[in-house]
Amino acid sequence: MPTTQQQGGRARQIELILQQVDSLPTLSPIAARLLQITSPVDADLDEIVGLIEADPAMTGRILGLCRRADRGLGDRITTVRRAVVMLGLEAVQSAVLSVAVYDLMEHAATAAGRELEAPPGLVADATGHPFDRVGFWKHCIGVAAASELIAESHGRLGVPPEEAFVAGLLHNLGKMAFDLILPQAYQRVLGLAERRRCGSAGIEREVLGLDHHTAGRRLGEHWCLPHALQDVMWLHGQPAATLPDLPHKRLIGIVSVANVLCRSLHMGWSGDFSTPRPVAGLCQEYGIDAVLVDDIVPRLHDALAARCKLLGIEDKTPPELLMQSIASANRQLARLNAALQQRARHSERQGRVLEAITAFHASWQPGRSVGDAAGAIVQSASTLLGPGLYAVLFQSRTGQRSEPWQLCQFAPDGNTMRTRMIEPPGGPEGRDALAALVEPTKMNLSALSLLPWLAEYLGEPGRIQRLHVLPLLSTGGLGPVTVLLHDRDLADWASEPSLLSAIMGSWTAAITAASQHEGARRLGERLADSNRSLAEAQHRLAEAQSLARLGEMAAGAAHEMNNPLTVISGRSQLLADTASNESDRAAAKAIIDAAHHLTDLITSLRLLASPPKPVMSPTRLDEMIQLAVTRAEDRTRLRGRITIELPKPSPLVILDRELIALAVSEAIANALESSPDTPVTIRVQTGLPDGRLMISVEDRGIGMSGKTLQHAFDPFYSDKPAGRQTGLGLTRARRLVDLHHGELALRSTPEQGTIATFILPTAQPSAASRGRSGAFADMAA
């Protein structure tokens, strides 16, 4: 739907064209004065004779035209006076008007620098179809002669033959007006009409804003022609049912039938390229006898030859004109045959494209990657265009000039041959040139200079002359910047770019959908990572709050319980030393153990609430592991089968020896208590990314249930019988690992065993902290 601004611009264009029509020369004074005489009663015979004889050249041509309508008077019409007296004022007016209009238009064409000659070949090119003035006048004169003969044979219609002649001569004059004022634009109109095999009026309205019917009527008004002639120029060719009820409707019908008849006989050049309507059907619409129309056909070429000679167009005999019509018909048949062949080729290509689109959509499955989409595109292109060199160049993020480009080369079946990330030469200028290469509107010499570089990347430097670019750009920049590189010859598709655009639209949609799916998947992954991080942060926050509350309680408990515990422990020790029987000594020993247990519990709580600051120092791994084993065995009083796997020689690492040994001992103690009869394996790995260290403690014991594994690091949680443990061991171990910016994780399967894994940075703990989560996922999985 055109906008108001567009409609306003079109209206101004139409008005400018009509103003140029009004600027065409006016009729000669002789013709203008004769047209003012509306009836023989008002006519002054001497004035009429004097006006015409003032121009001797015109006088001879007018007398010749009058003799052609002699009505049996023959050569007796030798003077203007005799023509007026014997034929009547209307016949002389018609002859004068015919000669005046022809001379006027030809003088205007000559003044515009165009001579009266047929363009050689009359072949349309990229700029349009040339206007054939000679053929045009021959067609107009043929229509005039046919109109005159039809009017003579249909006296019942009441149309004077001389009026029909003039109407036929002027019926298409709007086309010549367009050629005079807008020659280049009108050639494009004619070129489009020929390619579409249609009449020129619709193309004229599409391109110029008005058609030759309207321009002809405006020209008739400019020349002050009778209304009957103006309406013929405006309404001829319209269906009879659509014409208004006019007194000269029959004249319009005669000219319409004559025009179709001359086009069917290929008389001259009409500037219309559609197939003419059947003459018989048109005659029936206008109430004209088709049989009488057929009867005038043998006389038409004689009448045409005589009128052309009188007006000075061509001096051809009727047989020569007939041969010209036959030659024109043959050329028309050749053009129709060529058009049919072209349409057949178009239909064949269209069928191939539709099959390719159907096959592409049938093979394409939603949710595939951009690489899969590129492979499917190459397979489809190879089927449609033929096997050859194919590659896809794309940049995943549109509008990001610094984003790397990926070049994928494919076999004709769509399988990837090689993929690489490329960086165009020349830095930012090279990236700009590469971006211009994939967008036709920005194509420049710098972009074209990248083709040899791309050919070398593809390993085909000798094919640079045949390397072509097909951009696959989505609307609105929704997909990746993508281009299909190939060496296929697209010359056969150049005349029908819309067909190739159709399959390219499917390719673009596929790669856009794949890109959006990948983007959604990556966004989902990032969202899941964020949710996990948020959950971990919330868990850590809750844990920190719990530890803070626990620390407050531990500080208060330590303050209130230390002194009583010291007294209890000291007096119990004294009692054990002085007791005289074994029962009293055992009771004192139990009190001492309970006091030590409470002291250890308070110490653990204080460690969680107010942990010490690690003292980093070079430490031998074998000594640190052995210290942890000893502490675990002493605490559990278990001597299991422990296997230690260490790098040889044992490396030095930077960490707090005491704190890490205490943390590892907690995991070893749990492993020993899990199943004293199964082996425990301690493995140490160094040289991990960022200088990290991994220590794993593995047992083949009873393992942990899902609930136990979930709460393993919770303070005071234990699935062991009451009194065996405080439930602070793993909580304390993880707290110590956190002090080193490390990570502790558990994996366990019931009845199969448990693995505790420590990931520790051995130097630059802040740097290790920044990457510990990802490293642990790689190492602990």
Side-chain angles (χ1 to χ4, degrees):
M1 190 72 180
T3 64
T4 303
Q5 184 177 3
Q6 291 172 331
Q7 292 174 341
R10 177 54 64 94
R12 287 191 295 273
Q13 175 183 325
I14 293 173
E15 186 58 34
L16 287 174
I17 293 174
L18 293 176
Q19 289 176 8
Q20 292 185 67
V21 171
D22 290 340
S23 68
L24 289 173
T26 57
L27 289 174
S28 66
I30 298 174
R33 176 67 185 101
L34 287 178
L35 287 176
Q36 292 175 357
I37 302 174
T38 58
S39 69
V41 178
D42 300 330
D44 184 338
L45 182 60
D46 293 332
E47 180 186 7
I48 294 173
V49 172
L51 285 171
I52 297 175
E53 291 181 344
D55 188 339
M58 179 183 287
T59 299
R61 293 157 71 196
I62 290 173
L63 289 177
L65 288 176
C66 290
R67 279 194 290 270
R68 290 299 306 172
D70 56 16
R71 302 177 190 171
L73 298 176
D75 293 337
R76 286 183 290 171
I77 301 177
T78 56
T79 64
V80 174
R81 182 177 295 275
R82 180 165 293 189
V84 175
V85 172
M86 301 181 71
L87 297 179
L89 176 63
E90 290 83 359
V92 175
Q93 281 179 320
S94 297
V96 170
L97 186 57
S98 300
V99 173
V101 169
Y102 174 77
D103 287 346
L104 175 65
M105 298 303 285
E106 280 307 307
H107 289 159
T110 302
R114 295 194 288 277
E115 299 298 330
L116 183 61
E117 57 183 14
L122 284 178
V123 178
D125 56 19
T127 62
H129 191 291
F131 189 86
D132 179 10
R133 278 174 44 226
V134 173
F136 175 78
W137 280 119
K138 286 165 65 176
H139 173 75
C140 289
I141 294 172
V143 173
S147 299
E148 183 181 45
L149 292 174
I150 293 173
E152 286 179 355
S153 62
H154 290 74
R156 61 181 176 79
L157 296 179
V159 176
E162 55 273 10
E163 184 181 15
F165 179 87
V166 177
L169 182 68
L170 305 183
H171 79 288
N172 255 358
L173 218 54
K175 293 182 179 179
M176 192 167 186
F178 278 148
D179 179 59
L180 289 175
I181 62 178
L182 300 168
Q184 294 181 349
Y186 200 57
Q187 284 191 19
R188 289 195 294 272
V189 167
L190 296 174
L192 284 172
E194 182 179 35
R195 285 192 291 275
R196 298 181 187 177
R197 311 305 305 170
C198 65
S200 61
I203 309 296
E204 291 164 354
R205 290 190 292 270
E206 178 183 330
V207 175
L208 305 178
L210 72 164
D211 56 28
H212 66 273
H213 298 280
T214 304
R217 181 183 185 185
R218 187 63 172 257
L219 188 61
E221 293 174 349
H222 176 57
W223 286 344
C224 299
L225 296 180
H227 289 295
L229 296 182
Q230 293 181 27
D231 287 342
V232 167
M233 299 167 77
W234 184 29
L235 300 173
H236 76 274
Q238 301 296 318
T242 64
L243 291 178
D245 189 13
L246 299 171
H248 38 270
K249 183 176 181 178
R250 293 172 179 175
L251 175 62
I252 297 172
I254 288 174
V255 174
S256 298
V257 172
N259 179 45
V260 172
L261 177 63
C262 291
R263 288 190 59 208
S264 302
L265 296 174
H266 298 277
M267 298 182 71
W269 177 83
S270 67
D272 287 314
F273 301 92
S274 61
T275 302
R277 294 179 58 188
V279 175
L282 195 60
C283 289
Q284 185 176 2
E285 282 188 29
Y286 285 105
I288 295 174
D289 191 339
V291 176
L292 295 179
V293 172
D294 289 339
D295 290 342
I296 71 171
V297 172
R299 294 184 285 161
L300 261 182
H301 285 91
D302 289 337
L304 176 61
R307 301 296 170 80
C308 286
K309 183 177 180 180
L310 286 171
L311 290 175
I313 297 176
E314 272 188 340
D315 188 6
K316 300 284 187 181
T317 63
E320 290 174 330
L321 291 177
L322 180 59
M323 291 303 297
Q324 285 184 351
S325 296
I326 295 174
S328 176
N330 288 334
R331 288 193 298 270
Q332 179 70 7
L333 286 174
R335 285 194 292 268
L336 288 175
N337 184 50
L340 287 175
Q341 291 179 354
Q342 183 178 2
R343 289 188 179 183
R345 289 192 297 270
H346 174 79
S347 298
E348 186 268 335
R349 290 196 188 98
Q350 191 176 48
R352 287 170 54 196
V353 169
L354 289 175
E355 289 177 2
I357 292 175
T358 302
F360 179 75
H361 284 284
S363 64
W364 176 251
Q365 298 177 354
R368 297 171 66 181
S369 66
V370 173
D372 292 337
I377 289 170
V378 167
Q379 185 178 13
S380 176
S382 178
T383 302
L384 181 64
L385 306 177
L389 172 66
Y390 289 97
V392 175
L393 175 68
F394 64 91
Q395 189 183 34
S396 59
R397 297 181 185 174
T398 58
Q400 299 291 328
R401 189 178 69 168
S402 60
E403 186 75 10
W405 290 82
Q406 187 169 345
L407 181 64
C408 301
Q409 188 172 357
F410 295 88
D413 61 0
N415 290 326
T416 305
M417 295 173 58
R418 70 183 80 175
T419 300
R420 62 182 66 185
M421 307 301 292
I422 63 173
E423 177 68 21
E429 292 77 11
R431 288 193 290 270
D432 289 342
L434 193 58
L437 182 66
V438 302
E439 192 166 349
T441 57
K442 298 180 180 178
M443 184 69 74
N444 53 36
L445 292 178
S446 298
L448 294 176
S449 67
L450 292 178
L451 290 178
W453 169 75
L454 288 172
E456 290 181 6
Y457 254 110
L458 295 173
E460 300 285 348
R463 288 187 170 183
I464 178 58
Q465 299 297 332
R466 293 188 293 162
L467 193 61
H468 304 293
V469 175
L470 280 180
L472 305 177
L473 301 178
S474 60
T475 304
L478 297 178
V481 180
T482 311
V483 63
L484 176 65
L485 301 171
H486 64 95
D487 64 349
R488 299 293 81 207
D489 185 4
L490 299 183
D492 292 341
W493 299 87
S495 59
E496 299 170 312
S498 60
L499 291 182
L500 203 55
S501 297
I503 184 70
M504 288 171 62
S506 296
W507 296 342
T508 302
I511 206 161
T512 299
S515 174
Q516 290 179 337
H517 176 78
E518 284 193 353
R521 179 175 54 79
R522 287 193 297 268
L523 183 61
E525 291 173 352
R526 289 196 296 269
L527 182 60
D529 290 341
S530 299
N531 287 336
R532 282 192 294 269
S533 299
L534 179 60
E536 291 177 2
Q538 290 173 337
H539 178 72
R540 292 297 180 92
L541 178 60
E543 188 177 73
Q545 291 173 343
S546 175
L547 291 175
R549 290 192 294 269
L550 187 61
E552 293 175 0
M553 182 190 71
H559 178 73
E560 298 295 334
M561 297 173 65
N562 268 340
N563 291 334
L565 282 174
T566 302
V567 173
I568 292 172
S569 179
R571 295 300 175 91
S572 298
Q573 186 67 49
L574 180 61
L575 180 62
D577 293 340
T578 59
S580 59
N581 60 62
E582 186 65 30
S583 175
D584 292 340
R585 284 195 296 271
K589 182 67 168 60
I591 296 172
I592 293 171
D593 289 342
H596 287 168
H597 182 73
L598 284 174
T599 302
D600 290 342
L601 177 60
I602 292 172
T603 302
S604 296
L605 291 175
R606 295 183 65 180
L607 177 66
L608 293 176
S610 303
K613 183 177 181 180
V615 179
M616 312 299 285
S617 61
T619 302
R620 285 177 57 92
L621 277 177
D622 54 350
E623 295 177 355
M624 188 269 291
I625 296 297
Q626 190 58 52
L627 176 61
V629 171
T630 301
R631 284 183 174 176
E633 291 178 338
D634 289 345
R635 198 182 82 191
T636 61
R637 297 184 178 87
L638 296 172
R639 295 294 183 268
R641 290 178 292 167
I642 299 177
T643 302
I644 301 175
E645 298 178 3
L646 276 165
K648 299 297 183 179
S650 179
L652 285 174
V653 294
I654 299 176
L655 45 74
D656 189 313
R657 176 176 177 269
E658 295 295 326
L659 295 183
I660 296 301
L662 178 59
V664 175
S665 70
E666 296 289 353
I668 298 174
N670 281 351
L672 291 173
E673 292 177 342
S674 174
S675 182
D677 299 329
T678 60
V680 175
T681 303
I682 303 173
R683 293 186 180 89
V684 179
Q685 289 179 260
T686 59
L688 300 181
D690 297 331
R692 285 167 291 187
L693 164 70
M694 184 171 76
I695 303 172
S696 62
V697 179
E698 180 178 356
D699 67 69
R700 299 300 179 191
I702 61 175
M704 298 182 185
S705 65
K707 180 181 179 181
T708 301
L709 189 63
Q710 181 180 1
H711 297 282
F713 295 108
D714 292 351
F716 302 111
Y717 180 85
S718 177
D719 63 348
K720 296 181 176 65
R724 289 287 303 275
Q725 290 292 339
T726 62
L728 289 173
L730 289 177
T731 307
R732 181 167 52 200
R734 192 162 95 171
R735 183 63 167 156
L736 295 174
V737 171
D738 284 343
L739 294 176
H740 285 74
H741 302 282
E743 193 164 328
L744 169 60
L746 295 176
R747 284 190 298 158
S748 183
T749 303
E751 307 303 329
Q752 293 186 19
T754 302
I755 301 175
T757 305
F758 298 80
I759 298 291
L760 295 166
T762 58
Q764 300 177 349
S766 60
S769 175
R770 288 194 295 268
R772 62 193 179 98
S773 296
F776 181 81
D778 293 339
M779 298 298 108

